[in-house]
Amino acid sequence: MKKLVKILLWIAGVIGVLLLAFNFILWPIMQNQTKKGSPEKNVAYSKGDMKLNLFYCSPAKKDREIFGGLVPYDEVWRTGANEASTFTTNKDLMIAGQPLPAGKYTLWTIPNKTSWEVIFNNKMYGWGVKLTDQKATRDPEADVLVVQGKVSKSLNVVEDFSITLTVSSPETTIMMFAWDNVVVPLEIRQQ
């Protein structure tokens, strides 16, 4: 009996060491390798006392069909690569005419040919997709705001996915999603 207990403890110890090695050595290496092709982007924006921050990973087109191909239509997309993208605001906002309270949100989209659903979700996720089936990890019950953004064609092909924030007027900021030949603007106003 004592020998069986020793063997089980030894096996548990080996499993524990392997799990620690994965979490602290292998997982960071895997994340770093995936980010070479989709580097992290941080967009900090301020206008008066309003401060916005976007975090996302920017994949490249690489001669691929993007929308309707790599990013399927009518399915939730993590809006970038790797971790779920995030949007942070220190002020209550109106986005596409709908209210969004101050806070930090994960940012999801459901692209289709003529419009995108842009989703602000108050749950934070470790990774943007499940490793088993590559489906988005978003929990729809945590959605705080879902708005529509109209798709426009870009004048030039955008090689790297981007989300930008620019001043449109003294009251309005535009958040622009751009990749391949698609751009989707959303109007942001402080409440």
Side-chain angles (χ1 to χ4, degrees):
M1 182 70 169
K2 287 182 183 181
K3 190 173 185 177
L4 178 62
V5 170
K6 285 182 182 179
I7 291 171
L8 290 175
L9 287 173
W10 185 83
I11 291 171
V14 169
I15 290 172
V17 168
L18 290 174
L19 287 173
L20 284 173
F22 179 78
N23 283 331
F24 294 104
I25 299 169
L26 296 176
W27 184 250
I29 290 170
M30 286 174 28
Q31 283 185 312
N32 185 42
Q33 292 301 312
T34 63
K35 290 186 180 181
K36 285 183 179 180
S38 301
E40 291 181 358
K41 302 289 182 179
N42 270 299
V43 178
Y45 176 89
S46 60
K47 185 172 159 183
D49 60 351
M50 177 180 71
K51 295 185 183 343
L52 307 178
N53 190 294
L54 283 162
F55 168 84
Y56 65 97
C57 292
S58 175
K61 179 173 169 45
K62 298 180 188 174
D63 295 322
R64 299 179 287 187
E65 178 187 355
I66 300 302
F67 298 106
L70 180 66
V71 178
Y73 287 126
D74 303 315
E75 289 184 24
V76 176
W77 178 41
R78 63 181 152 183
T79 315
N82 305 325
E83 296 96 335
S85 299
T86 60
F87 176 87
T88 307
T89 174
N90 68 330
K91 297 289 181 184
D92 293 345
L93 303 175
M94 296 296 287
I95 299 186
Q98 301 296 315
L100 180 72
K104 183 173 183 178
Y105 303 94
T106 49
L107 190 59
W108 306 85
T109 52
I110 301 175
N112 70 49
K113 290 181 183 181
T114 58
S115 67
W116 285 16
E117 285 184 38
V118 181
I119 304 160
F120 296 82
N121 183 289
N122 66 8
K123 188 173 175 185
M124 295 298 120
Y125 305 83
W127 203 245
V129 295
K130 297 173 195 162
L131 296 177
T132 54
D133 62 5
Q134 298 298 299
K135 297 291 182 188
T137 55
R138 168 188 154 251
D139 174 5
E141 292 191 16
D143 292 348
V144 174
L145 176 65
V146 179
V147 295
Q148 294 290 321
K150 186 177 178 185
V151 168
S152 297
K153 292 294 179 189
S154 175
L155 297 176
N156 301 310
V157 171
V158 178
E159 180 63 27
D160 298 320
F161 172 70
S162 68
I163 309 172
T164 57
L165 294 163
T166 56
V167 174
S168 172
S169 73
E171 304 84 32
T172 307
T173 299
I174 299 295
M175 180 163 58
M176 181 79 71
F177 302 87
W179 199 16
D180 193 9
N181 62 349
V182 170
V183 293
V184 179
L186 283 183
E187 184 179 273
I188 299 175
R189 292 177 178 256
Q190 190 172 328
Q191 283 189 9

